[in-house]
Amino acid sequence: ERKKSGRNGITIFDQQQKQQLSRRNYVAECLREVLRTDGLDVAFQAQVDLQTGRHLGFEALARWSHQQETISPAEFIPISDEFGLSADIDLQVLKKSLKRIRLLKDAGLDPGRVAVNLGTLTLRDTALPERVKDLLDKHGLNASDIEIEVTESVMIGRGHEKVKGNLLSLQRLGVSVALDDFGTGYASLTHLKDFCVDKIKIDRAFVSEIASDRSDEMIVKTIISLARSLNIRVVGEGIETEVQAKMLAGYGCHAGQGFRFHRPDVCLESIGRYLKGSVSPPTGGA
Ligand code: C2E
Ligand code: MG
Ligand code: MG
Ligand code: MG
């Protein structure tokens, strides 16, 4: 038995793989439990009108605190996909979001449209539109209270026809559809036409370097003008600085989301306070 890592490095690699594998199994196991007990949290992050600073809506993001640590959706969403658990996550986040919209409205506040991220497993289920409709009814909400965010990956591969049909049915109800992480996937531009999305979200990867990287700036500028000429709303994601907000606004980007405006927040009371204040200053200054 070789204990030393040695020159070939094979031992180390195996160890790492083993660790990754058991981490995945461990996460999936805990995830099953948290889903069973309805224990996921939901954070809301505001989207604002970049031209006026006005509040437009929120994105709902799954949050999971497990023992002392918080496990990021960037880690557990891919694992949940692999283990067939992602549809349960999506549904739990959707239900909790609807409940929260109801509570905010009951308090006399207007949260605007709340966007929920749905993965491929959820979107392939032909019962989805009906289920969404039932849940909206149950909470006394309208289709225009919510939005569905999908990534480019749901538009390709097995089941994409089902996904397309579902999205169309949801749109007929009045739910809007946003294309998330735009520019990072490998979907072609024809999907924009085929899938009739209402909104494009420019990925944070482009936004974060917009002021320092000339190509990113040009890519963002081009995405915005493409979206505008197709009559699609466009949102910049991951806006952290005033400079980024101003540049995007200057290129005609409709809306923005990011730490610059609002941090994802799980606390209903402070979301309520945010809405009452809704103070985000217009990007134009002041
Ligand atoms: P996403 O939908 O693109 O969500 C935006 C991510 O960017 C969120 O990460 C958010 O916390 C983060 N973010 C927002 N503003 C800023 C900023 O100014 N700077 C930086 N550095 N980050 C910012 P999060 O919450 O970790 O979510 C990661 C991804 O996990 C999401 O990306 C989404 O694809 C997925 N996800 C989250 N919740 C759900 C869910 O309920 N269902 C599904 N299917 N996917 C989800
Ligand atoms: Mg999203
Ligand atoms: Mg995104
Ligand atoms: Mg993302």
Side-chain angles (χ1 to χ4, degrees):
E1 176 185 291
R2 261 177 294 170
K3 275 237 165 81
K4 294 175 292 192
S5 44
R7 268 183 210 117
N8 62 20
I10 285 172
T11 324
I12 287 177
F13 185 65
D14 283 351
Q15 276 300 102
Q16 268 180 5
Q17 270 193 327
K18 235 184 195 156
Q19 270 169 19
Q20 275 169 15
L21 207 69
S22 66
R23 169 75 179 171
R24 284 212 303 271
N25 287 324
Y26 171 73
V27 168
E29 223 26 72
C30 301
L31 202 49
R32 269 198 195 98
E33 180 61 16
V34 84
L35 285 167
R36 209 178 51 74
T37 56
D38 233 24
L40 277 184
D41 289 321
V42 178
F44 273 19
Q45 183 182 33
Q47 287 182 11
V48 304
D49 186 317
L50 276 184
Q51 312 293 332
T52 65
R54 212 169 44 93
H55 174 81
L56 294 174
F58 291 102
E59 177 176 17
L61 295 158
R63 287 292 176 267
W64 180 18
S65 21
H66 176 67
Q67 289 160 5
Q68 309 301 347
E69 63 174 330
T70 29
I71 302 180
S72 157
E75 179 180 8
F76 71 76
I77 294 290
I79 294 174
S80 74
D81 265 327
E82 197 183 328
F83 286 79
L85 301 169
S86 58
D88 294 332
I89 295 179
D90 291 348
L91 197 64
Q92 194 168 121
V93 171
L94 174 64
K95 284 181 183 164
K96 290 193 173 183
S97 299
L98 295 179
K99 206 172 189 175
R100 183 171 285 178
I101 300 171
R102 185 69 265 158
L103 289 170
L104 290 166
K105 287 192 174 197
D106 289 346
L109 297 165
D110 180 10
R113 248 194 222 266
V114 174
V116 175
N117 295 279
L118 299 184
T120 321
L121 282 179
T122 312
L123 290 160
R124 277 187 201 146
D125 182 350
T126 38
L128 179 70
E130 183 122 353
R131 179 173 285 172
V132 170
K133 179 79 177 84
D134 288 348
L135 286 170
L136 286 167
D137 290 346
K138 186 181 154 211
H139 291 85
L141 298 173
N142 305 312
S144 59
D145 289 323
I146 62 166
E147 179 163 89
I148 302 299
E149 288 193 14
V150 305
T151 58
E152 292 168 274
S153 62
V154 308
M155 301 185 165
I156 39 190
R158 201 162 56 83
H160 77 274
E161 284 300 332
K162 259 188 203 155
V163 173
K164 192 168 156 180
N166 275 342
L167 291 177
L168 200 61
S169 306
L170 287 165
Q171 283 174 314
R172 287 203 181 109
L173 291 174
V175 175
S176 64
V177 173
L179 186 50
D180 206 353
D181 304 342
F182 189 75
T184 58
Y186 41 89
S188 89
L189 292 175
T190 53
H191 291 115
L192 277 186
K193 211 177 92 179
D194 273 10
F195 278 80
C196 293
V197 299
D198 303 286
K199 193 189 258 188
I200 284 171
K201 299 186 77 177
I202 306 174
D203 194 74
R204 182 172 90 228
F206 301 112
V207 172
S208 63
E209 303 295 321
I210 190 179
S212 53
D213 185 315
R214 179 92 179 132
S215 333
D216 284 352
E217 186 191 353
M218 288 306 117
I219 289 168
V220 165
K221 203 176 155 180
T222 305
I223 295 174
I224 294 167
S225 74
L226 173 72
R228 292 189 71 101
S229 55
L230 291 171
N231 247 326
I232 296 172
R233 309 271 308 165
V234 54
V235 186
E237 285 194 301
I239 300 176
E240 295 184 352
T241 69
E242 184 60 17
V243 172
Q244 291 164 349
K246 276 193 171 143
M247 287 179 77
L248 285 163
Y251 292 139
C253 188
H254 300 107
Q257 183 181 339
F259 298 167
R260 159 75 182 84
F261 302 106
H262 188 230
R263 293 221 170 220
D265 189 350
V266 291
C267 172
L268 183 67
E269 284 71 33
S270 74
I271 292 165
R273 277 197 300 277
Y274 169 85
L275 280 174
K276 274 178 206 147
S278 208
V279 281
S280 49
T283 304

